[in-house]
Amino acid sequence: MRNRGWPAYLLALVLLGFYVALYFSNVFDPLAKRLWAGADKWTLYGILYTVAILVGGSVYIARNRRSTYQVRRTLVIMGVQLALAFLLPIWMRLLGGKSFYFSYLWPLKIDYFYPSTIFSYPLAFALYSFLGSLLGAPLLAFFLGKRWYCSWVCGCGGLANTAGDPFRHLSSKTRWSWRFEAITIHTVLALALISTALVLINWGMGPKHPTFARVAFQVQQGYGFWIGAMYSGLIGVTVYPLLGTRVWCRFGCPMAALLGLVQKFGRFQISSQAELCIACGNCSKYCEMGIDVRSYAMRGEAVKRASCVGCGVCAHVCPRGVLRLELVKTKAI
Amino acid sequence: MRYVVVGNGITGVTAAQTLRERDDAAEIILIGEETDYFYSRTALMWIYMKQLGRRDVEPYERWHWEQQRLELVRDRVTAIDVSGRKLTLERGKRLPYDRLLLATGAQPNKFGWPGQDLDGICTMVSMSDVDRLEAVRQRLQRAVVVGGGLIGIELVEMMLHEHRPVTYLVREPWYWNLVLSKEEAEIVHEQLRDAGVNLILEDETAEMVAGADGRVRELVTKKGQRLPCELVGIAVGVHANIELARQAGLKVGRGVVVDEALRTSAPDIWAAGDCAEIVRPARNAVEQLWYTGLLQGQAAGRAMAGDEVHYDRGVPYNSAQYLFLDYCAVGWMRNVPFDVPAARLPAEHRDGSNRRLPAELPLEEWFHRAPGARDSIRIVHFAGGGPVLGFSMLGSRWRAATLIRWIEERRSLKWVLAHLADAVFNEEFRKDRFAGVVHA
């Protein structure tokens, strides 16, 4: 799928149809019930998602076997998806409990900061969620870059970097897309913060303010539907064959926005050597985040961008050894 | 002031950009014959392999030119009126200039072999070469590639990408013997043979024979081997485009002759890049690499803007990839035909001029091939563990600037070996296959 020709539009249409059927109908439920009695359409979706990551990841590893970084990263993505995002939640449900996804954190998994959700879990899970989101994830992003999450753990990034990999080069590199991105990703982050804040304030105030409670509930529901389901799921995957794989990660994900701000002040960067750069453009072409890596390489400047998810593909496809993912000590720490 | 630059390759474009930095008010016109916009010539192989599109190899977005106020003209310059300071363009227009840069590049060599211009004989230095290669793609069954250098191995990789049997004809006793040692070349040979390439050493082209359809049918070597093929890729070097300068009465040799400020023999005309021949005390320099094109473009831009310029490429370097095998070379090696500036030689070996590294210099080599891996390190240094002079690194990635600095600082072999890890530029998690050896 090199270009956005008619097969790309057809595939996007198929994906759209699948997601619409999944979200707005129960056509997949009978099929799911055949698996086991307790399974529903979301179980089936989980299986499909995991198979896509495992199969796509295996192909990716075979194609990129020369790069230890790519092989290890992909093995971790596959392992996290299989164990933490699939087997463990199913096992928890089979034991009669509620699923908990250890690989997802607030603000991507926004409900894990909603009191109604988090108090339905044991205290240890709540602690994991709060410490992980507010302390663990930003700290790791400072020292390792946001890649530790976006390219090594996250399921959205996981699908993008495995089954979605053949579409990575379709990301837009225009100035226009950059301006658009800066607005949208920070808007979604603001919405996530507002939604979380309203829900928490409402919970703190108790049932004394019914109007406030109604507004908070509407915002929570609105965010959950439009951002959580429509944007990150339906739109994010449907546009794979047209706009590349990281549309949600780049233009929407509040977690990526937050960790990106940390990364900007952290140790992670992609160093470049202008001396050796032949300006071929492989790095820019295969950047799934649409960063014009070549413009940095030609100037010998380090790529230190909030949006970079550190997948490492620019360095891997560079035919002249110009780029390297590095951890550099900052002046601050 | 009107600056006109002939040639929109890396040299011409860099010169135009440098001029814009130096002179905000000047009128700068960039004339390109081959394409409307500057593209990266080094990326041709990936266009053929469909890894990059033609638009992808343009290093600047198209709004850039307008923003920099660089006027792009697609035309061919047919004559220079030196005394009248005017260019004649193919479409008939006359274009006056105040200062002119010739960055006309180079074209591929062919050595007069019978049949060398048959349909199916392809070189690889321009976009139209890709068109020709693509035209043969459909009927391609077997390919022959001629020339043991960097472009030759790129052509081999392109043919492998088509999953077609390819014969690689190298005249020398081993691949790229200008730069690689025999042991290093063996590693490349292994890489080629593993990929299924039929590598023929120490034989060369005698003629190309046409079939009944007038297209190339086979290549015959001097030793009499007949190699059936639908495509012959020729990569045996390039020669400077000097015709325009010669007709205008400028001094030419292997290239357009320039001094160290890149001035030609004519007033207000400079030349730089692949087409230039720079006067040097011992042997004039013709530098036909991407990065020297860039350096000369910068120097020419500054010189034309009125700066005092003494162009010097400094410690030479380059990097490459041989079918996934990284290669980085920095400095001078015994078998490299680069001129070592006298300043770098020990006092007893200086003769007061720049000169070629003489065979009698007391040089030694530290060579190590990592066991079981296609990795090797070769460090050329003065005898007795003296200052290092060159690095030849196969199968790994290096910080060129660090290696260059070590040569400039005249670091001893022992010091360099102890600090080698500082210059490694490999990706994370890659095992350092030299650590044990170096510290032993």
Side-chain angles (χ1 to χ4, degrees):
Chain A
M1 201 71 62
R2 287 181 195 286
N3 304 302
R4 299 170 193 131
W6 66 265
Y9 283 93
L10 193 67
L11 184 58
L13 215 58
V14 169
L15 287 168
L16 180 68
F18 168 75
Y19 271 94
V20 168
L22 179 73
Y23 283 175
F24 300 104
S25 82
N26 293 318
V27 292
F28 293 116
D29 273 333
L31 199 62
K33 290 276 179 280
R34 286 194 180 177
L35 296 169
W36 63 86
D40 59 10
K41 62 181 181 180
W42 299 113
T43 321
L44 193 67
Y45 180 54
I47 293 173
L48 284 177
Y49 204 94
T50 306
V51 167
I53 286 186
L54 293 181
V55 172
S58 305
V59 173
Y60 185 82
I61 287 176
R63 289 172 60 114
N64 297 281
R65 59 188 175 279
R66 287 177 197 89
S67 164
T68 316
Y69 184 82
Q70 295 305 328
V71 171
R72 287 198 191 172
R73 188 173 71 81
T74 309
L75 284 173
V76 171
I77 288 175
M78 292 160 71
V80 166
Q81 176 63 29
L82 185 63
L84 299 184
F86 182 66
L87 291 179
L88 192 60
I90 285 192
W91 185 62
M92 290 164 91
R93 273 173 65 188
L94 289 178
L95 288 181
K98 230 179 125 185
S99 314
F100 188 85
Y101 294 84
F102 287 94
S103 53
Y104 287 99
L105 293 164
W106 180 89
L108 174 56
K109 189 80 176 161
I110 197 160
D111 359 340
Y112 283 1
F113 267 28
Y114 292 158
S116 56
T117 316
I118 206 67
F119 287 128
S120 64
Y121 287 107
L123 181 65
F125 288 13
L127 276 178
Y128 173 87
S129 213
F130 279 106
L131 289 178
S133 302
L134 297 178
L135 208 64
L139 267 180
L140 283 172
F142 181 87
F143 286 104
L144 300 174
K146 79 187 208 187
R147 57 183 174 154
W148 85 265
Y149 190 74
C150 300
S151 294
W152 286 73
V153 172
C154 179
C156 311
L159 186 68
N161 284 175
T162 52
D165 190 71
F167 307 109
R168 67 157 48 238
H169 61 286
L170 297 170
S171 60
S172 172
K173 277 93 181 174
T174 58
R175 280 189 298 181
W176 183 86
S177 71
W178 274 107
R179 290 170 190 159
F180 185 72
E181 173 187 332
I183 295 167
T184 55
I185 192 166
H186 294 117
T187 306
V188 174
L189 175 62
L191 290 175
L193 293 176
I194 290 168
S195 180
T196 310
L198 287 179
V199 171
L200 284 176
I201 291 168
N202 180 50
W203 174 73
M205 291 194 306
K208 282 173 288 183
H209 301 277
T211 320
F212 188 87
R214 203 172 58 243
V215 171
F217 182 74
Q218 278 170 350
V219 170
Q220 178 188 349
Q221 291 295 304
Y223 184 91
F225 179 74
W226 289 109
I227 307 293
M230 291 299 102
Y231 197 170
S232 76
L234 185 140
I235 297 176
V237 179
T238 295
V239 298
Y240 266 26
L242 303 173
L243 298 167
T245 44
R246 290 270 193 176
V247 167
W248 160 249
C249 313
R250 181 180 173 191
F251 298 103
C253 180
M255 179 102 182
L258 212 55
L259 296 184
L261 293 175
V262 177
Q263 171 165 280
K264 195 97 178 142
F265 300 98
R267 292 189 171 176
F268 173 75
Q269 67 174 40
I270 303 176
S271 304
S272 72
Q273 319 190 58
E275 296 89 346
L276 303 181
C277 179
I278 53 169
C280 65
N282 277 298
C283 52
S284 292
K285 173 88 173 176
Y286 290 93
C287 178
E288 56 187 343
M289 298 304 280
I291 300 173
D292 190 2
V293 184
R294 166 170 53 191
S295 66
Y296 289 82
M298 286 169 72
R299 297 193 302 264
E301 224 174 89
V303 182
K304 201 162 170 88
R305 290 279 289 261
S307 67
C308 173
V309 290
C311 68
V313 168
C314 56
H316 180 51
V317 298
C318 173
R320 294 294 180 269
V322 172
L323 299 160
R324 187 188 196 219
L325 278 58
E326 288 192 316
L327 300 173
V328 180
K329 289 206 172 161
T330 59
K331 277 178 205 149
I333 307 171
Chain B
M1 180 71 82
R2 176 189 272 176
Y3 297 102
V4 176
V5 176
V6 184
N8 65 346
I10 179 66
T11 305
V13 162
T14 308
Q17 289 172 330
T18 308
L19 279 168
R20 175 54 73 220
E21 279 167 31
R22 287 284 286 100
D23 188 348
D24 193 55
E27 185 186 0
I28 303 170
I29 300 172
L30 196 52
I31 304 175
E33 175 183 333
E34 189 189 353
T35 51
D36 287 340
Y37 293 93
F38 167 53
Y39 76 94
S40 187
R41 195 175 297 288
T42 47
L44 292 173
M45 72 179 286
W46 296 288
I47 298 177
Y48 179 80
M49 290 159 69
K50 296 184 180 166
Q51 189 172 317
L52 294 174
R54 294 192 182 208
R55 194 76 183 254
D56 297 323
V57 303
E58 288 177 17
Y60 299 99
E61 285 193 62
R62 291 183 176 177
W63 48 261
H64 170 89
W65 308 105
E66 208 175 320
Q67 192 194 49
Q68 289 234 319
R69 287 171 291 125
L70 301 174
E71 192 187 325
L72 305 183
V73 174
R74 174 88 183 262
D75 211 331
R76 197 169 78 85
V77 179
T78 52
I80 309 169
D81 173 1
V82 174
S83 56
R85 284 175 224 270
K86 268 191 198 70
L87 299 178
T88 308
L89 305 182
E90 193 169 49
R91 291 177 193 162
K93 209 177 126 192
R94 306 266 287 168
L95 182 67
Y97 63 84
D98 295 309
R99 289 178 183 173
L100 177 70
L101 175 66
L102 299 178
T104 49
Q107 55 183 298
N109 291 333
K110 286 182 180 177
F111 295 127
W113 304 295
Q116 67 178 14
D117 294 317
L118 286 173
D119 189 354
I121 314 287
C122 302
T123 53
M124 198 179 65
V125 302
S126 67
M127 210 53 104
S128 56
D129 287 328
V130 178
D131 295 337
R132 273 186 284 276
L133 284 156
E134 282 176 342
V136 188
R137 200 195 303 260
Q138 285 302 315
R139 56 187 164 90
L140 180 63
Q141 295 301 321
R142 295 142 303 179
V144 177
V145 174
V146 179
L150 291 176
I151 307 299
I153 212 155
E154 285 187 358
L155 277 163
V156 168
E157 192 173 341
M158 289 155 63
M159 296 303 115
L160 289 173
H161 181 261
E162 295 298 306
H163 304 289
R164 294 289 184 270
V166 47
T167 298
Y168 191 20
L169 192 58
V170 175
R171 186 180 60 177
E172 294 78 22
W174 63 81
Y175 175 72
W176 212 19
N177 75 336
L178 277 177
V179 173
L180 297 183
S181 71
K182 187 156 194 247
E183 298 97 316
E184 288 165 334
E186 291 297 345
I187 298 177
V188 180
H189 296 172
E190 282 172 26
Q191 186 89 352
L192 286 166
R193 287 178 177 133
D194 272 9
V197 176
N198 172 30
L199 177 65
I200 300 177
L201 300 170
E202 297 186 87
D203 198 356
E204 56 187 300
T205 309
E207 62 170 321
M208 286 84 150
V209 182
D213 57 1
R215 293 164 166 167
V216 65
R217 190 192 73 206
E218 64 179 7
L219 181 144
V220 184
T221 71
K222 283 208 174 149
K223 288 183 181 169
Q225 301 194 68
R226 307 183 84 86
L227 305 168
C229 55
E230 291 73 39
L231 186 150
V232 178
I234 306 264
V236 291
V238 294
H239 60 275
N241 288 323
I242 55 173
E243 214 36 54
L244 185 64
R246 188 209 303 276
Q247 282 171 11
L250 274 60
K251 191 176 171 202
V252 294
R254 285 183 296 147
V256 182
V257 176
V258 294
D259 63 12
E260 61 175 2
L262 305 178
R263 274 183 302 241
T264 65
S265 57
D268 294 325
I269 304 181
W270 285 256
D274 283 9
C275 72
E277 174 181 340
I278 304 163
V279 172
R280 294 283 188 231
R283 182 168 170 270
N284 289 355
V286 178
E287 301 166 353
Q288 290 164 327
L289 298 167
W290 177 263
Y291 89 90
T292 52
L294 192 143
L295 291 181
Q296 290 190 27
Q298 285 169 347
R302 287 193 291 112
M304 291 167 75
D307 293 356
E308 191 183 318
V309 167
H310 304 276
Y311 172 78
D312 178 10
R313 76 191 283 199
V315 175
Y317 58 84
N318 217 342
S319 70
Q321 205 170 39
Y322 313 119
L323 316 181
F324 313 115
L325 198 62
D326 289 308
Y327 180 66
C328 179
V330 173
W332 293 270
M333 278 146 272
R334 189 188 291 271
N335 48 5
V336 174
F338 295 134
D339 297 313
V340 182
R344 301 205 184 284
L345 301 177
E348 65 271 27
H349 294 290
R350 290 181 200 171
D351 66 357
S353 69
N354 283 344
R355 61 182 211 173
R356 188 177 172 136
L357 195 57
E360 71 274 15
L361 265 186
L363 292 181
E364 288 175 3
E365 286 182 359
W366 185 90
F367 179 78
H368 178 75
R369 180 175 177 181
R374 284 179 185 167
D375 286 22
S376 70
I377 287 183
R378 182 162 62 97
I379 304 176
V380 179
H381 59 95
F382 286 100
V388 294
L389 200 60
F391 297 89
S392 176
M393 316 303 226
L394 193 56
S396 49
R397 294 183 165 190
W398 297 83
R399 282 178 213 276
T402 306
L403 298 180
I404 291 167
R405 201 179 64 237
W406 289 349
I407 293 174
E408 286 174 348
E409 292 171 352
R410 299 167 152 273
R411 297 289 183 184
S412 71
L413 177 68
K414 195 179 162 199
W415 189 95
V416 163
L417 289 178
H419 291 80
L420 212 49
D422 298 344
V424 172
F425 206 64
N426 287 329
E427 65 169 17
E428 291 162 294
F429 306 132
R430 208 190 106 138
K431 219 169 89 194
D432 182 0
R433 300 193 181 93
F434 299 100
V437 181
V438 169
H439 295 126

